[in-house]
Amino acid sequence: GPMETYRYLSPMVNNLLPRIRTANNTAGLNIKVSEQILLDFDGSSLQTSEHPAGALYDIQALLQPNTDGYYIKTIQAIEEQFCNTKKADKPNRLFLLVNPAWKDKSSFGIFGAQKAQELILDRYETTYALDQFIVRGRQISLLKCWSSDWGLYATMNNGGDGKDKTMPAELIASYATRPEYKVIDAALKGVVSK
């Protein structure tokens, strides 16, 4: 569940934030990372990396936001206070959404889809994502790494004798945008029938 994921995710982000270089000059001082738990039952938190060169170089990361309206309001508040890209007088500081619990606007339901599309999905680029699932009995991995396209990888079985001879996953297709299930199914169908 989310608390189990948080247990591994929080230290990873805490280690990552000081490694993101927003300014070269630290004057030999360490970058300080702090964490604020938002909702303790769903594993969400806000981590802030405070740069010794000044607040203009700080970074914030929202861990595990989900589709609840609370998180849309939280994202809006962080943008307003920290990195609002709509106002020229505010600095454009780095704000990360880490391991969000949505894939597209359908994750937000009928009433929240359009608002989520405008406030979040159209404005934040996916820089890294790995989704794994089963299609047609095959392990599928959908991988997005900035600045590459989405890669569709399938683990293919070697031989048809019923013995498990799993081979490493191989790239079977790539897409500029995250493919829907029917596109993934068609691509896999084409590879399996060869």
Side-chain angles (χ1 to χ4, degrees):
M3 292 305 296
E4 184 70 15
T5 303
Y6 172 78
R7 194 175 86 179
Y8 292 97
L9 184 63
S10 177
M12 183 177 73
V13 173
N14 192 288
N15 189 322
L16 171 71
L17 288 179
R19 296 171 188 270
I20 299 173
R21 296 288 174 219
T22 54
N24 291 327
N25 185 8
T26 62
L29 300 172
N30 291 327
I31 295 171
K32 178 185 171 194
V33 178
S34 60
E35 182 170 33
Q36 174 188 356
I37 303 296
L38 298 178
L39 297 175
D40 61 356
F41 59 86
D42 72 355
S44 62
S45 73
L46 179 66
Q47 289 194 14
T48 303
S49 170
E50 297 176 33
H51 199 283
L56 286 175
Y57 305 104
D58 291 352
I59 302 170
Q60 286 195 322
L62 181 59
L63 280 62
Q64 300 199 123
N66 62 44
T67 58
D68 188 273
Y70 167 81
Y71 291 103
I72 291 178
K73 290 176 187 171
T74 300
I75 290 168
Q76 286 177 303
I78 291 169
E79 286 182 341
E80 180 63 35
Q81 295 171 8
F82 184 75
C83 64
N84 194 340
T85 56
K86 295 179 184 176
K87 295 183 179 177
D89 63 333
K90 292 241 179 182
N92 190 9
R93 297 185 282 185
L94 184 59
F95 173 49
L96 307 170
L97 298 173
V98 181
N99 200 34
W102 59 75
K103 297 199 182 322
D104 55 32
K105 72 179 184 179
S106 67
S107 301
F108 290 86
I110 296 169
F111 300 109
Q114 190 58 38
K115 186 174 184 178
Q117 186 73 44
E118 293 168 5
L119 296 175
I120 301 170
L121 301 172
D122 286 345
R123 297 178 54 229
Y124 288 90
E125 180 182 356
T126 300
T127 54
Y128 180 84
L130 176 63
D131 294 331
Q132 295 184 311
F133 40 90
I134 304 293
V135 177
R136 297 187 172 272
R138 309 276 187 204
Q139 174 72 40
I140 299 297
S141 298
L142 192 56
L143 177 65
K144 168 68 176 165
C145 295
W146 185 87
S147 65
S148 299
D149 288 341
W150 288 87
L152 177 62
Y153 293 82
T155 302
M156 310 304 272
N157 290 333
N158 185 13
D161 59 4
K163 295 181 182 176
D164 185 19
K165 299 177 185 172
T166 304
M167 302 298 290
E170 58 186 74
L171 178 67
I172 60 171
S174 63
Y175 306 92
T177 60
R178 188 182 195 284
E180 295 182 4
Y181 176 83
K182 63 185 176 186
V183 174
I184 294 169
D185 184 52
L188 187 59
K189 189 176 188 180
V191 171
V192 172
S193 64
K194 290 182 180 178

